Amino acid sequence: MKHETDNTMIAELQTPQDQSRQFAVDVRGLQKQFGVGSAAVTALANIDVAIAENEFFTLLGPSGCGKTTLLRLIAGFDFPTDGQILLHGDDIALLPPFKRPINTVFQNYALFAHMTVAQNIGFGLKMLGTPKAEIADRVAEMLRLVQMENLKDRQTSQLSGGQQQRVALARALAPRPKVLLLDEPLSALDYKLRKDMQIELKRLQSQTGITFVFVTHDQEEALTMSDRIAVMSKGAILQVGTPNEIYNQPATRFVADFIGESNFLPAVVDAVAENTAQVTLAAGAGLQASVTAPPMVGSGVTVVVRPEHATLHEIPEPGDIAVTVTNAVFFGTDTHYHTELADGSPFVVREQNAVGATTRFVAGQKVGLSVTQGAARILRD
Ligand code: ATP
């Protein structure tokens, strides 16, 4: 008890700047407008986000949501209309990019084609006036880190896309920045290489301990690599959380739709208890759903269910929702059954395939659908 009181007192004695020092990047009330008058575009509405030291933090959202703008403001390539960007508690708003202890890896790598791998990696250090012997040591360390020692004398124009990406990473990490910004760095790579580089990036981040701020529109990339994710839409951050929180407890309908797949069913609320609501689906069936903010009895809501949280029964069981299978799509690891409720609402059920499993249902078949206990949710729009 005493311990708690002490902590509260310390927190009260700290200035906002002291509190901000614990964060690698602390963004407060950040706004960015492009253009003026009727041509004005609000790229960032009012962003507040604190990124911890050593964190792999991802900005995730659809094209045009403002991710790159936020990254560019942190890097110093552009200036905010309003708000603050604190780096370990210090306001860096007026520092030019090269004075910020921050580096950026771009989608197109931006390597120097006429230089070797080693020269590229050492370039930033040379610009900083680092002594030659130290540059050589650091370049050797970086080559080891990205496992490219055997290619150190190769011109970068003679490297594969994946190898070029490693050089770009090594070059950005060489000056040991406090924060590394990564703007969709894997999007030019093919699927398999992208998967390998995802694991590689995570390894580099934990091995170097540098804070990574990663921008992507690819939810799978965000889920597999990040410590925390900020989901963005239309210049605002809708939710910040661990991949698990974002996937399993999406705060809004947009987040549930953007991260993973979801089924959305229109319904009317019959009764509300503490954290659950009893609803009647437009298709007529009853269902219990968890709620974060209790809805009004009689109000119209949307119930959200993940495709892996439902099961189809050939012979409907008591309490099942009647559905008709419209399509079965085999994906190797699992099969997706597209179904339709009595009111025409579509509902996809994902079933994991056992060894040698064959497709269980065919289009036109009438079956029962049950939703896993606790899996249905009512979300804010
Ligand atoms: P993408 O994934 O397509 O790169 P994004 O989420 O990174 O998208 P931003 O590039 O940050 O989005 O753009 C946010 C909004 O600001 C968009 O509406 C965009 O058109 C606008 N915008 C960005 N840069 C400028 C600029 N220099 N002048 C005018 N509008 C801009």
Side-chain angles (χ1 to χ4, degrees):
M1 197 61 202
K2 181 167 183 304
H3 184 69
E4 264 177 37
T5 314
D6 287 350
N7 277 346
T8 315
M9 280 173 64
I10 290 166
E12 277 168 6
L13 288 173
Q14 282 184 336
T15 65
Q17 194 176 29
D18 285 337
Q19 287 168 16
S20 186
R21 289 209 185 280
Q22 62 187 303
F23 299 114
V25 182
D26 190 2
V27 169
R28 297 177 178 193
L30 201 66
Q31 295 181 27
K32 179 66 184 175
Q33 271 205 347
F34 292 106
V36 287
S38 58
V41 177
T42 302
L44 297 176
N46 193 3
I47 301 279
D48 286 302
V49 65
I51 301 170
E53 208 170 336
N54 300 347
E55 200 169 21
F56 196 125
F57 192 91
T58 298
L59 302 171
L60 172 69
S63 180
C65 72
K67 321 179 280 293
T68 301
T69 303
L70 179 51
L71 209 68
R72 285 174 55 79
L73 294 182
I74 297 172
F77 300 137
D78 207 342
F79 294 102
T81 309
D82 202 358
Q84 274 187 311
I85 302 169
L86 304 169
L87 202 84
H88 290 280
D90 296 323
D91 194 341
I92 55 165
L94 297 176
L95 284 184
F98 64 93
K99 289 247 170 99
R100 301 181 184 202
I102 294 175
N103 248 344
T104 309
V105 177
F106 300 97
Q107 185 179 337
N108 62 4
Y109 321 138
L111 294 176
F112 305 114
H114 60 285
M115 290 187 198
T116 65
V117 166
Q119 285 166 340
N120 263 280
I121 297 174
F123 183 80
L125 296 167
K126 201 169 159 189
M127 289 295 104
L128 290 170
T130 311
K132 264 193 174 164
E134 198 181 325
I135 295 181
D137 284 350
R138 199 82 67 80
V139 168
E141 181 193 331
M142 290 300 123
L143 284 166
R144 270 197 306 279
L145 191 68
V146 296
Q147 293 155 3
M148 291 209 38
E149 292 117 306
N150 56 342
L151 294 173
K152 67 178 173 23
D153 298 321
R154 181 91 59 93
Q155 299 275 311
T156 53
S157 53
Q158 295 160 7
L159 297 174
S160 71
Q163 289 164 340
Q164 289 184 37
Q165 187 54 269
R166 279 165 203 270
V167 178
L169 280 165
R171 187 178 63 178
L173 288 168
R176 295 196 181 127
K178 287 211 161 74
V179 177
L180 186 69
L181 307 176
L182 303 110
D183 193 359
E184 308 235 13
L186 308 183
S187 56
L189 305 177
D190 68 44
Y191 181 75
K192 197 123 194 3
L193 194 53
R194 212 160 64 224
K195 290 271 182 216
D196 292 345
M197 284 303 291
Q198 286 172 11
I199 294 165
E200 183 77 7
L201 271 180
K202 185 76 191 151
R203 177 184 71 81
L204 286 175
Q205 193 270 330
S206 49
Q207 233 167 300
T208 58
I210 291 172
T211 305
F212 276 28
V213 184
F214 185 89
V215 157
T216 185
H217 61 268
D218 181 336
Q219 44 126 346
E220 190 186 302
E221 218 163 77
L223 289 173
T224 51
M225 288 192 290
S226 319
D227 293 318
R228 285 190 308 152
I229 299 169
V231 182
M232 294 183 68
S233 171
K234 297 182 184 156
I237 291 181
L238 300 185
Q239 188 173 2
V240 179
T242 63
N244 197 307
E245 285 164 353
I246 297 274
Y247 187 81
N248 289 314
Q249 293 148 45
T252 65
R253 185 182 165 144
F254 177 89
V255 175
D257 201 15
F258 194 70
I259 315 287
E261 284 167 44
S262 294
N263 295 295
F264 297 101
L265 299 174
V268 172
V269 178
D270 296 328
V272 180
E274 206 177 330
N275 296 318
T276 58
Q278 181 65 36
V279 302
T280 300
L281 300 176
L287 195 65
Q288 211 174 50
S290 64
V291 292
T292 37
M296 302 266 288
V297 171
S299 64
V301 291
T302 305
V303 177
V304 183
V305 182
R306 297 283 190 197
E308 66 272 28
H309 293 155
T311 314
L312 294 179
H313 303 123
E314 190 176 355
I315 300 162
E317 295 181 358
D320 274 5
I321 302 165
V323 296
T324 307
V325 177
T326 55
N327 197 7
V329 187
F330 179 73
F331 277 91
T333 51
D334 45 37
T335 300
H336 294 191
Y337 293 103
H338 294 253
T339 72
E340 211 173 76
L341 275 67
D343 65 325
S345 294
F347 194 110
V348 178
V349 178
R350 183 181 306 152
E351 207 167 83
Q352 201 169 3
N353 290 328
V355 179
T358 52
T359 304
R360 294 204 302 141
F361 307 105
V362 294
Q365 199 169 345
K366 293 191 184 309
V367 294
L369 179 147
S370 73
V371 173
T372 310
Q373 181 79 25
R377 304 167 108 12
I378 294 170
L379 299 177
R380 287 199 321 269
D381 272 338

